[in-house]
Structure formats: structure tokens, C-alpha cells
DNA sequence: ATTAGCACTCTCTCCCAAAGAGTGCTAACA
DNA sequence: TGTTAGCACTCTTTGGGAGAGAGTGCTAAT
């Protein structure tokens, strides 16, 4: 996405910056008098008024009603984010809180995501989103069939990033352990190196031909195995800190809260949302830029984490358009690095 | 818990029942005149007023203020639930919607719970809670160590109900495949039949002695294996339909919503809550009966599902104290049976 | 180009009055 | 004696100003 940054006079920039900062902090329309009092701009309220009128006309500011102060428009936020905002250094305390996920040595990958989501929302004070590794982008490594007893077998699928999926299946009578090994070998040999997204069921059908057509039990087992093959295992989205959004004054209306939370309950939707934002290094979507009507008053700051240098999933923070972008960007960046590191150590 | 049901005259029962039903339906204090108009009780408002005054004094009813109608008190709801409420038959449409979870033939157990949670909240129109099988109550069956290559091994733990946990570990150099098999055999032999809750790390330490003290690599591997042993793998709680609570008029206050949602975000807390309710067949906790202050205006209807006749986890529906108990009880009972059946087929 | 002054606009809060709903009590009634 | 009609009273809710407060746009002076 190419964005042209309009030229604004240094003074207009200073005023716009002051307005956005002030509004982010106080959530109230800011007027010329207050602005002059609070920020040392060296100009009088009247001058500020004139500049504000200009910025208003240019579309950077809005007025809730004629005689209220100004608030940033979508365009105003965008300009702020693109060219006014100053990077904020995280406090050591926050860094330490975030780092806890790394220190705990959690045994399950699920626990890592859970903890990361919790901490991310806690530190950012907004809603946190974490999408698990994009399954389809991983590469098939091997299939294992581990018989538990004469009746059941565990199907293990291992990917290049070290994720292991398991599933229990029944063994039709008449299939020997050797045959199971043979099946696993054939799958492994044929599929090794394939991205999981390509493993759709029509492709897998081809493997049928490799096996004897005569063995009925084998055919049944294969059909079952293929039908339940863990391709397309959906991405998961972890969601945390939803209650933080209720602290925001713009969400003091229950109906508004409801419609937003409803969207957040649809994991598929969140998934698509985060997937969209995975391309850039750190992506910021402001208000209407989220296609979704219910999220027109929200912004998302997102970044992708990596495992072994490959982009695997996305983390994000969602808040009102009035969110503290500078701070959130720092938090998200920090968490991004942390998660990449933690998961890198976690898997092989 | 032993509850004594006070004797009330038939007429008082009829009036109380009418009041509770009406209030459940309309969420507004109900007065004598309205009650007489809406229900065919065959008595005048004045008489109803007298009875209401009695019920008020006895603690079954409350008045929001002097000149409003009455609303049920906690005691009123309790009486209603224990002795007035009539079982409600689910509509075929609802039964069908609930049954979908069974029909879909979901491949992962996680997907079953997800879907069940979604449907349960959808049909009940309240918040749904589902707790996964209580891990500690399951019984250890076997441990498997499946080497993936020379460097990594998958640790598989299988329980009697057919749940399989996996975990990837590094193999210290100097441990052979045969040794891995031997380790797995020892674990399996010693632990088979043990409930998982007993497998704490001090118990597992004893297994050390079985192995050669001389092999350093083996010792390291064992320590690692024991440290990461999946005992105490916490129960998970699935939560669905939280937005439904926002539809309830009693939650039109954002602060109230926030404090409730905050509690619902603490999975540990929910877990304990559901665990508490697992003893009875179908348990109903009304308002203050939930110890938690933030839930004093909520009720929970819960039931446990079974796998092979053993109580494994709990499902529940949470709504305002004013919830439609009759309907919710039917829904929960239906889902309980459904889930027991589905999971029974799912596992072995 | 900047600023002070001023009339004007719009919201928010507070207050008060009227309407509405329901109660409790009393007295009449079957 | 239980039931009912009538009535005064209470309490909340709603709607309509009045006044305060904040901010603007415009004009005229610096």
C-alpha cells in the first residue's frame, strides 16, 4: 500500500501532533485555548484556531459538533502514525513483564501462546491477538504410525518446524505392524518436503495406487487415514484482555461493546484479519481500514513472528482508534522478537 | 447440600410461580394489577397484594423500591427451581441444532469442544462453559518414545480413555534407540494403572533407581523427561457466547459487564467453579451461591459428561439470576448426553 | 501575520413538575 | 373471615427549560 504524505508546515505538524497526543491521552475533544495552555507552542489560541480550521478543512481533524474542540479524523491518525509519532522506549519494568514468557520454560507450545497473550494484553492495556503458526506453510517431514495395542494406532505427523500432530485411529483387523510401517514409509517418502497446504485430499488419493488393490482392510484404513489427514488444520487465534476495551471511554455504550465482542468471537474472521496484516514488518490498520464495520472505531497494530527465519504467525494489539500507537508499537515489536526467540528454542 | 423446602399454600405457590415466570420473561418488577391481568389466578389485585406482602416478608420476594412491583429474591428463585419449575421440552429445531456437533464427525477432540461450546451458547442464548476431561482422573496406560531422527524423540503418553499427549525432546548423544525403548518400557510397566494425579515428580524420582547410575547421558535425559512429564496438565475451559450476556438488560451497565468478563477470563477460576458443581447430576447455583462477588447476579446450570461411565468433565450455562432455568436445564441435559455419546465414540 | 475581543452555538447539568405504576391501609362486602 | 374496591401516598421516570461552560468564527486592532 502506497501512501503519499502531504506536506504540512512545521507549525501545522506541531499543532496536529499536539492535538493527537492530547486526545490519545485524555479522550476529550481539544480546543484552542486548552492546547495553548498545555503545550508550549508559542502562539496564541486565536492563531491555533486558524490553523485548526485549516487542518479541519484538509481533513485531518473533525468536530463532534460546532462548538466542541477538535478530534483527529482517520486521516489525522494516519498522518500521526506515519510521520509525527516518536518511537517510545519501553520501561524496564514492562520489558521484564513481557520477558516472563521466555523465562518460565513452559512445556507445551499451547502454554507459551496462552501466556504470551495474557502478558501482551496486560502490558499493552488493550486487547491482544496471537495467531498460531500458519499450518499450511509448514512442510511435511514424516508420518509415523505407532501401534498402541492390537486395536489402535497413533498417527503422528511431524513438520519441519518440529510441530507434532497426533490422532488415534482404529486398526482394521488384518493389518500387521509391518504393514503399518510400510504405509508410514510410503507417506513419508512421497510427501516429504511438501508444504502442508498442498496436501489436499485429491492429491493424497494418488497414494492409493501405490498399495495393493487386493487388500480390502488396507484400503479401508487408507481411506480413513486420508480422510482424517491433518491438512487444513485451521490456524488458532488466542485472544486476551478483552475486558481492557471496556475501560476505554469510547466503549461505554453496551451496544457498541457487544457488536465488537461479537466480531472478536469469530475466530475465522480474526484469522483473516491477521493474515492480511502479515505481509508488512509492522502493520497498523486504523479505523475504517479494517473492512469490518463493527471495527471502524478500532485500530490494530500487528507484526509477524518468525521461526527459523520464516514468518509463521502474527501477533497484534487491538484498541480504539485513539490508542497509544507509540507505546503499542514498542510493545508489539518487543513481543515479536521475544516470541520468535522463544519458539525458535522451543521447536527444533 | 440439604435444602428444606418450606410449605407454602397452593395459592402462594401459584402467585410466586407467576411472578418468577413473568420476571424471567420480561425483566421488569411485576405488580399486583399486571399479575392479575396476565395470569388467570381468579383473585383480585388486592388479594394478590396481600399474598405478595406475605411472600415479601417470608423472603421470597423483594422490592427494588417502595412503589415498584416485586422481583424474586435469591430465595424465591431457589424455591422456583426446586419446586415450581416445570420441565420444558426442547423444540425439535433446538435438538437438531445441538445434535450437529455429533454429526459433523470432527477429527480433533479440540474441534468437538469448540463446536459444542458454540452450539451450547447459541441455543441457550447465554454463556456456555465446557471443561475438558479432568486430566488427573485419567489413568496412565503407556509411554512411548518415538525417535524422529538421531536428534529428537517424541514422547507419547497414552491414557485409558485414549487421550494422547505428545511432546518433543532432544536426545542426548549416546543414547541408543534400544535404550529409549527400554526407558519407555520401564515407565509403562511401573506407571500403568496409576491415576495421573498421583504422578507427581517425587514419585517419578523413584524411577531413577531402576536405571544405571553410571550412564551420565541417560541421567540427564531422564531428569528432563521427568521434569517435563505431563502430569498436572491443567484442565482447559472453553468459553462461548459471552456477548449473549450483553443482551440482558441487567448488564446494560458497562462496569458490571467488565467485572463479570474479567472473572470469565480467569480460566483457573472457572475451572474451580465447574469442578465444584461436578458432584451432582445437574447442579444449579443461583446468585450468591457462587462465592464470587462479581457473579452474585449470575446463575449457573451445570452437568457432568461421562466417558465410558466415568465422569470426566463438566458443561455449564451461565446467565443472569433471571435466566430461563427450565429451558436451560433442558438444554444442558441434552448437551450432556450428546457430549457423553460423542466423546465415547471418539475415544476408545 | 498574529492576536484580542465578542457574539454565537452547542452540550451538559441541574431542577422541577407531571405522569405513571404500584403499594398499604381502611372500610365495605359475601 | 377471607376478599375486594377505593384512596392516599410514595417513588421513579420523563420532559422541558434555565444557566453554566467550553469552544468557535469573525472582525478589527496591533
Amino acid at each position: 500500500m502506497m501512501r503519499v504524505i502531504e506536506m504540512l508546515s512545521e507549525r501545522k505538524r506541531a499543532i496536529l501532533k499536539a492535538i493527537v497526543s492530547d486526545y490519545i491521552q485524555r479522550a476529550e475533544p481539544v480546543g484552542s485555548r486548552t492546547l495553548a495552555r498545555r503545550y508550549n507552542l508559542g502562539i496564541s489560541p486565536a492563531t491555533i484556531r486558524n490553523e485548526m480550521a485549516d487542518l479541519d478543512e484538509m481533513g485531518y481533524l473533525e468536530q463532534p459538533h460546532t462548538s466542541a474542540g477538535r478530534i483527529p479524523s482517520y486521516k489525522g491518525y494516519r498522518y500521526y502514525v506515519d510521520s509525527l509519532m516518536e518511537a517510545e522506549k519501553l520501561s524496564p519494568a514492562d520489558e521484564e513483564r513481557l520477558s516472563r514468557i521466555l523465562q518460565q520454560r513452559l512445556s507445551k507450545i499451547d502454554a507459551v501462546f496462552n501466556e504470551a497473550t495474557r502478558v501482551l494484553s496486560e502490558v499493552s492495556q488493550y486487547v491482544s491477538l496471537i495467531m498460531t503458526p500458519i499450518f499450511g506453510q509448514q512442510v511435511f517431514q514424516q508420518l509415523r504410525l505407532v501401534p498402541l495395542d492390537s486395536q489402535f494406532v497413533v498417527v503422528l505427523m511431524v513438520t519441519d518446524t518440529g510441530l507434532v500432530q497426533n490422532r488415534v485411529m482404529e486398526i482394521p483387523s488384518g493389518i500387521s505392524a509391518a504393514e503399518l510401517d510400510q504405509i508410514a514409509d510410503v507417506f513419508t517418502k512421497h510427501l516429504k518436503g511438501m508444504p502442508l497446504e498442498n496436501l489436499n485430499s485429491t492429491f493424497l488419493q494418488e497414494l492409493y495406487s501405490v498399495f495393493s488393490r487386493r487388500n480390502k482392510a488396507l484400503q479401508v484404513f487408507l481411506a480413513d487415514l486420508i480422510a482424517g489427514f491433518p491438512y487444513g488444520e485451521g490456524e488458532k487465534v488466542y485472544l486476551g484482555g478483552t475486558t481492557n476495551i471496556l475501560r476505554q471511554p469510547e466503549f461505554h455504550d453496551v451496544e457498541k461493546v457487544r457488536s465488537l465482542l461479537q466480531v472478536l468471537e469469530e475466530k475465522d474472521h480474526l484469522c483473516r484479519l491477521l493474515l492480511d496484516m502479515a505481509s508488512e514488518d509492522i502493520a497498523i490498520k486504523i479505523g475504517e481500514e479494517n473492512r469490518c464495520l463493527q471495527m471502524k472505531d478500532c485500530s490494530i497494530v500487528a507484526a509477524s513472528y518468525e521461526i527459523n527465519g520464516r514468518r509463521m504467525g502474527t501477533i497484534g494489539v487491538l484498541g480504539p482508534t485513539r490508542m497509544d500507537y507509540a507505546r503499542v508499537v514498542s510493545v508489539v515489536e518487543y513481543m515479536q522478537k521475544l516470541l520468535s526467540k522463544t519458539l525458535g528454542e522451543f521447536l527444533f
Side-chain angles (χ1 to χ4, degrees), chain A:
Chain A
M1 194 179 336
M2 201 57 187
R3 285 192 194 96
V4 181
I5 299 179
E6 209 168 338
M7 281 304 285
L8 290 182
S9 73
E10 212 39 59
R11 194 166 71 183
K12 280 199 173 54
R13 286 168 55 87
I15 290 175
L16 182 54
K17 185 175 168 187
I19 293 174
V20 178
S21 307
D22 199 80
Y23 186 64
I24 283 177
Q25 218 188 324
R26 311 192 187 238
E28 262 162 34
V30 21
S32 53
R33 193 179 309 269
T34 345
L35 204 64
R37 211 181 325 113
R38 281 210 269 263
Y39 299 83
N40 255 346
L41 298 169
I43 43 179
S44 76
T47 313
I48 295 178
R49 272 206 291 284
N50 289 327
E51 295 286 38
M52 279 167 108
D54 289 354
L55 287 167
D56 194 324
E57 206 171 343
M58 296 165 83
Y60 292 102
L61 298 177
E62 285 175 357
Q63 274 183 299
H65 54 86
T66 339
S67 75
R70 302 301 211 288
I71 61 173
S73 66
Y74 150 66
K75 194 176 166 189
Y77 284 121
R78 178 43 73 191
Y79 191 91
Y80 175 80
V81 165
D82 286 343
S83 117
L84 296 174
M85 176 172 80
E86 289 163 36
E88 195 178 303
K89 182 97 184 70
L90 279 186
S91 74
D94 284 338
E95 293 199 350
E96 200 261 309
R97 282 208 289 170
L98 289 169
S99 304
R100 252 183 296 168
I101 59 152
L102 206 151
Q103 291 153 8
Q104 283 184 242
R105 280 248 127 279
L106 297 158
S107 65
K108 300 274 291 180
I109 193 165
D110 177 69
V112 174
F113 284 120
N114 256 328
E115 185 64 7
T117 311
R118 216 179 51 71
V119 174
L120 185 56
S121 70
E122 210 178 288
V123 174
S124 69
Q125 287 287 323
Y126 297 113
V127 177
S128 62
L129 306 163
I130 299 192
M131 193 177 68
T132 54
I134 301 170
F135 207 74
Q137 284 192 11
Q138 295 180 60
V139 174
F140 181 94
Q141 193 103 8
Q142 57 174 311
L143 186 83
R144 281 299 184 82
L145 295 173
V146 184
L148 295 177
D149 48 31
S150 60
Q151 221 184 338
F152 292 97
V153 62
V154 179
V155 182
L156 287 183
M157 187 185 71
V158 187
T159 70
D160 60 333
T161 50
L163 279 179
V164 177
Q165 295 281 322
N166 74 53
R167 188 167 107 78
V168 179
M169 284 181 62
E170 211 161 334
I171 309 173
S173 61
I175 294 202
S176 65
E179 277 174 306
L180 288 176
D181 278 345
Q182 192 207 338
I183 293 171
D185 277 352
V186 169
F187 270 75
T188 299
K189 214 163 286 167
H190 278 77
L191 303 181
K192 182 158 190 166
M194 293 269 297
L196 295 186
E197 56 193 339
N198 296 353
L199 299 189
N200 51 44
S201 78
T202 47
F203 179 87
L204 291 170
Q205 299 294 342
E206 296 177 18
L207 288 177
Y208 269 120
S209 56
V210 179
F211 297 98
S212 150
R213 288 241 161 260
R214 309 251 288 286
N215 188 334
K216 192 72 186 163
L218 190 71
Q219 292 290 320
V220 169
F221 180 73
L222 279 176
D224 222 17
L225 180 60
I226 289 174
F229 207 74
Y231 52 79
E233 153 88 7
E235 283 72 46
K236 245 201 206 164
V237 178
Y238 292 77
L239 183 68
T242 37
T243 51
N244 285 336
I245 206 77
L246 301 188
R247 272 185 236 273
Q248 303 298 330
E250 36 267 89
F251 285 92
H252 269 350
D253 170 41
V254 176
E255 198 35 52
K256 211 167 160 184
V257 172
R258 207 184 58 75
S259 75
L260 178 62
L261 290 189
Q262 193 133 38
V263 174
L264 295 184
E265 268 190 4
E266 289 170 41
K267 305 291 177 193
D268 291 355
H269 185 266
L270 292 184
C271 228
R272 259 175 286 134
L273 205 76
L274 288 173
L275 234 35
D276 274 358
M277 300 181 75
S279 51
E280 294 160 74
D281 181 36
I282 193 143
I284 304 183
K285 290 233 187 207
I286 301 173
E288 342 165 337
E289 288 172 3
N290 302 302
R291 297 300 166 71
C292 172
L293 184 66
Q294 288 93 332
M295 288 175 54
K296 70 176 165 45
D297 297 321
C298 295
S299 291
I300 304 180
V301 175
S304 296
Y305 57 87
E306 306 183 336
I307 302 178
N308 302 333
R310 192 138 47 92
R311 248 176 212 156
M312 292 304 290
T314 308
I315 69 176
V317 167
L318 181 148
T321 43
R322 194 183 56 75
M323 76 157 78
D324 189 342
Y325 294 95
R327 189 180 147 72
V328 169
V329 166
S330 303
V331 175
V332 169
E333 273 177 346
Y334 197 84
M335 179 56 99
Q336 170 195 34
K337 292 197 192 97
L338 215 55
L339 206 54
S340 298
K341 195 170 154 202
T342 311
L343 292 174
E345 290 175 11
F346 198 87
L347 306 170
F348 58 98

